[in-house]
Amino acid sequence: MARRASRRGHRLAPLAVLFLSAFMALLDVTVVTVAVPDIGADLSAGLSAQQWVITAYTLFFSAFLLTGGTLGDRYGRRRVLLVSVAAFAVTSVLCGLARSPGMLIAARALQGLAAAAMLPGTLSLIAWIYPDPKERGRAIGMWSGVAGLALVAGPVLGGWLVGTYGWPGIFFLNLPVAVLVLVLGPRTLPEARGGREGLDVAGQLTAVVGAGALAYALIEGGTEGWTSPRILAAFTVGAVGLAAFAVVETRATDPMLPPALFRLRPFLVGNLVSFLLGFGLFSMFFFLSLYMQQVRGESALHTGLAFLPGSVAIVLTAPLSGPLAARLGQRLTIGLGLTVSAVSLLTMHRLTVDADYGRWWWSLVLMGAGIGLALSPTTALVLSSVSRQRSGVGSSIANAHRQFGIVFGVAVLGALLTERFTALVSTKLDGLGLPPAERDRVADAFLREGGSAATGANASPRLAERVIAAAEEAFVAGLHDVLTAGAIVLLAGAAVAVALPAGSRGRAGADADELRPVSAPGAE
C-alpha cells in the first residue's frame, strides 16, 4: 500500500507542474478581457487597439503552437517547456511595464510566442507519463478541466487583480507561478522526445502572414473602411498567405500541419469543433466585459465576479464529461455541450441597458456547463487519432484551432459589433443635431472609456444624458447581433459533431498507418 501511494505521488507531482503551466498559458487568453477598458483609458487605446491587446497574444499563440509541439518532440518536451516558462515570465513583466498601446501589443505578441512553446508539452507529457489508455484518459480529462477553468476563470481573477493592483497586476501574477514551475519542473518531469522531424519554416511563415493579415483586415476594416486600399491589400495578402500555406503543407517533407491527419474524420471534426468553440464562445468574454463596464458602468472587480457562476459551473460539469462520453459517446456529448452553450448565448438577449444581473447570471451558468461538457471530449477525440509519439503535434493542432477561433471570433464579431454600433449611434445622434465629426468622436470615446467620456466637457446635462443613452442602446443592439451569431456558430458545430458516424476513424494512407491511432475513453 505504501508503494502504491508512493507511485501515485510520483505521478501527481509532475501532473501538478503541467497543470500550473497550462493554466498560466491559457489564463492569459481571457484574463485580459476585463482589463481592456482600464487599459484603453490608461493608454488612450481605441477599440481596435483593445482588440489587438487580446488578438496579438492569441494570434501568435495559435500560429506558433504547431512549431511549439514540433520543438518539444525534437529537442525534448521538458526542456522546451521549462525554457518557454522562463520566457513567458520575462514577457509578462514587459507587458506589465508597457506605457503605450504599441508597447503592450508587441509584448503580448512575444508572450504569445512563449505560450505557444509552453502549452503543447503540458499535454504531450501527460500522454507520455500515462501510457495506459484509461489512466491517460482520466489525466487528459483533468487537463481539459484545468484548461477550461483557466479560460473561464480568467475574467474573475483578472477583475480582482485589476481592482486591487491595477491592470499590470494581471501580468505580474505570472511571475510566482513561473518560479514555482521552474523550481519543481526539473525535479519532477521526465524528459521525452518524439520524432526528429525538421522544422517547417515555410509553413510557419505563410501561416503567420496569412492569419495575421486577415486578422488585421477584419479588426481595422471597421475603422479604415472595408474598401480602403490598405484593408483590401490585407485581405489579399491573407488569402494568398493561407493558400500558400495549404500548398506548402502538401509538399513539405515534415509539415507542421500534416495533411494526412485530416483524412482521419475524428481528428478533422475535433479540430473544427475546437475552432468553433473559440470563435463562438470564448471570444464572448471580450464583448460581455465591454458591456459590463462600458454600458453598466461596473468596475473590473465586479465584472470579474459576475463571471464567477460560469467558473463554478465548469468545475462541476467538467468531471462529468468523461463518464458521460463513455455512456453517450464523444460526438453526442460534444453536441450537447455546444447546444447548451448556444442556448446560453440566446438567453443573453435579455441583456438591456438597465438589465439587473439577477436576470441573466444563470445564462453564465449554462455557458460554463456547455464548456465543461464539450472541452474534454473534444480534446480526447483529437488525441484518439494520433499515436503517443506524435501527441505533441496532435495537441498543438487542437489547441491552435481553438486559439485561432478566438482570434477570428474577436475580429469578425468585433467588426459586426462596430458596424452595428456605429450605424445605430450615428442615426440616434443625428436626431439630436450633432454634426458628423462630433458623432464620430462620441462613438470612439464611448468604446474607449465609456459614457462619461463620450459626452464631452461642454455638453449640457440633458444633452449628455441623451448622448449616453443613445450610445448605450446602440451598443446593446450590436451585442445582441454578436450573441446571435455566436449561437449560430455553436449550433453548427453541434450538428457537425453529432453527424460524425459512430465508429468512424477514417484512413490517412501510409501516414495514418505510421501514426498508429490509439483509443481514449469514450472514443467511438
Side-chain angles (χ1 to χ4, degrees):
M1 185 176 296
R3 183 179 302 174
R4 186 181 305 167
S6 175
R7 189 184 306 118
R8 187 182 301 114
H10 178 70
R11 291 196 175 182
L12 288 178
L15 205 60
V17 173
L18 296 175
F19 286 172
L20 278 174
S21 302
F23 188 88
M24 183 166 52
L26 291 169
L27 182 73
D28 271 64
V29 175
T30 58
V31 72
V32 75
T33 54
V34 294
V36 161
D38 287 75
I39 292 172
D42 189 29
L43 303 182
S44 298
L47 180 62
S48 64
Q50 294 175 37
Q51 287 177 271
W52 276 114
V53 170
I54 296 174
T55 302
Y57 181 84
T58 50
L59 176 61
F60 278 78
F61 187 9
S62 54
F64 285 91
L65 263 173
L66 304 180
T67 295
T70 301
L71 287 173
D73 288 343
R74 183 177 178 84
Y75 297 109
R77 292 160 186 165
R78 182 182 68 179
R79 177 185 302 172
V80 171
L81 173 64
L82 296 178
V83 170
S84 59
V85 167
F88 192 84
V90 172
T91 54
S92 295
V93 172
L94 294 178
C95 288
L97 297 178
R99 294 274 61 89
S100 70
M103 291 176 59
L104 178 57
I105 291 169
R108 285 280 285 169
L110 294 175
Q111 191 187 31
L113 278 174
M118 178 167 58
L119 187 66
T122 64
L123 196 52
S124 60
L125 278 171
I126 288 176
W128 193 267
I129 294 170
Y130 294 94
D132 179 73
K134 291 185 178 180
E135 290 186 343
R136 184 170 64 249
R138 285 193 292 267
I140 289 173
M142 294 170 64
W143 183 97
S144 298
V146 169
L149 179 61
L151 292 167
V152 177
V156 180
L157 185 57
W160 175 76
L161 289 168
V162 173
T164 307
Y165 302 106
W167 65 263
I170 64 176
F171 300 112
F172 293 145
L173 169 70
N174 294 323
L175 291 180
V177 180
V179 169
L180 185 61
V181 170
L182 291 173
V183 170
L184 298 179
R187 303 178 183 180
T188 60
L189 296 178
E191 186 54 283
R193 287 183 174 87
R196 300 292 295 179
E197 294 88 352
L199 296 178
D200 182 10
V201 177
Q204 183 65 84
L205 289 176
T206 52
V208 171
V209 169
L214 190 55
Y216 175 87
L218 292 169
I219 290 175
E220 300 294 338
T223 302
E224 296 189 25
W226 297 106
T227 58
S228 72
R230 184 180 300 179
I231 297 304
L232 292 177
F235 273 122
T236 302
V237 171
V240 172
L242 293 179
F245 172 73
V247 173
V248 165
E249 294 307 279
T250 60
R251 300 181 179 181
T253 303
D254 296 306
M256 60 186 286
L257 191 63
L261 286 174
F262 288 92
R263 290 197 290 272
L264 298 170
R265 197 171 300 174
F267 188 89
L268 174 63
V269 171
N271 280 285
L272 177 60
V273 169
S274 292
F275 178 87
L276 297 179
L277 266 173
F279 186 103
L281 193 57
F282 289 118
S283 65
M284 290 298 163
F285 293 115
F286 172 64
F287 305 107
L288 292 174
S289 294
L290 286 177
Y291 164 78
M292 290 290 292
Q293 296 182 65
Q294 308 297 62
V295 175
R296 298 290 296 151
E298 302 288 351
S299 67
L301 175 59
H302 288 161
T303 299
L305 291 175
F307 287 108
L308 187 58
S311 301
V312 173
I314 195 172
V315 170
L316 296 177
T317 56
L320 303 177
S321 63
L324 193 61
R327 179 180 294 270
L328 300 179
Q330 288 175 337
R331 61 193 183 95
L332 293 180
T333 305
I334 293 170
L336 176 62
L338 292 177
T339 301
V340 170
S341 299
V343 170
S344 76
L345 297 186
L346 293 176
T347 61
M348 288 184 192
H349 277 259
R350 296 169 61 89
L351 295 178
T352 61
V353 171
D354 56 355
D356 184 75
Y357 179 67
R359 294 176 57 189
W360 64 282
W361 66 269
W362 54 272
S363 296
L364 297 172
V365 173
L366 286 179
M367 178 187 288
I371 293 173
L373 290 173
L375 197 58
S376 177
T378 300
T379 303
L381 186 66
V382 172
L383 289 184
S384 70
S385 302
V386 299
S387 67
R388 192 160 63 117
Q389 288 72 25
R390 297 294 298 275
S391 59
V393 173
S395 63
S396 298
I397 295 173
N399 283 288
H401 279 88
R402 185 166 59 250
Q403 302 310 318
F404 268 127
I406 296 174
V407 169
F408 289 107
V410 170
V412 174
L413 298 179
L416 175 63
L417 174 62
T418 301
E419 287 289 308
R420 177 73 161 154
F421 170 78
T422 302
L424 287 177
V425 81
S426 295
T427 300
K428 291 177 179 292
L429 295 180
D430 185 53
L432 298 179
L434 271 66
E438 183 64 10
R439 295 201 302 265
D440 293 340
R441 186 203 65 77
V442 168
D444 181 69
F446 179 84
L447 293 175
R448 185 174 64 249
E449 300 181 53
S452 60
T455 58
N458 299 322
S460 66
R462 179 171 175 76
L463 178 60
E465 182 179 344
R466 296 177 70 184
V467 167
I468 292 175
E472 290 175 342
E473 290 170 3
F475 183 92
V476 170
L479 178 62
H480 287 173
D481 288 350
V482 166
L483 292 169
T484 300
I488 292 173
V489 166
L490 293 174
L491 289 174
V496 170
V498 173
L500 174 66
S504 173
R505 288 190 178 278
R507 284 188 59 82
D511 288 340
D513 293 337
E514 180 184 344
L515 290 174
R516 295 189 304 278
V518 295
S519 59
E524 299 177 282

